[in-house]
Structures are given as C-alpha cells and as structure tokens.
Amino acid sequence: MAQKQIALACSVCGSRNYTVAANPNRTTRLEIKKYCKHCNKHTLHRETR
C-alpha cells in the first residue's frame, strides 16, 4: 500500500512545489521554509490538503 502524499504550497505565490508523506499523528499543518523556483527565493511553504 502506498503512502498518502500531501503538497506544500508557497505562501507567497501559491505554487505547489513539494510533496511529503502524510503523518496521521501530526495535528497541526506543516510549515517549512523552502526554496520556491517561481519566487526565486526561500519562502514559507504550508501543507495543503
């Protein structure tokens, strides 16, 4: 059985650049600073469902 994937969207432009494995134990949405190739800089990426 494959793991469920969730997308990380850039908080500036809204582009969904990354996917990570869903964790059922996580109660809050994941927020990580990652590089956005559309904004050309590091921005906050939030979990989308």
Side-chain angles (χ1 to χ4, degrees), residues 22-33:
N23 183 351
N25 297 328
R26 188 182 314 123
T27 57
T28 59
R29 290 194 176 211
L30 186 62
E31 293 184 348
I32 304 174
K33 282 192 97 172

Side-chain angles (χ1 to χ4, degrees), residues 2-47:
Q3 287 186 337
K4 187 170 181 172
Q5 297 286 315
I6 54 170
L8 295 179
C10 175
S11 60
V12 177
C13 68
S15 173
R16 292 186 173 148
N17 301 321
Y18 298 97
T19 57
V20 293
N23 183 351
N25 297 328
R26 188 182 314 123
T27 57
T28 59
R29 290 194 176 211
L30 186 62
E31 293 184 348
I32 304 174
K33 282 192 97 172
K34 296 192 73 76
Y35 181 78
C36 178
K37 62 182 179 181
H38 303 286
C39 297
N40 204 25
K41 60 184 175 181
H42 282 83
T43 59
L44 187 66
H45 283 67
R46 293 192 179 106
E47 175 182 337

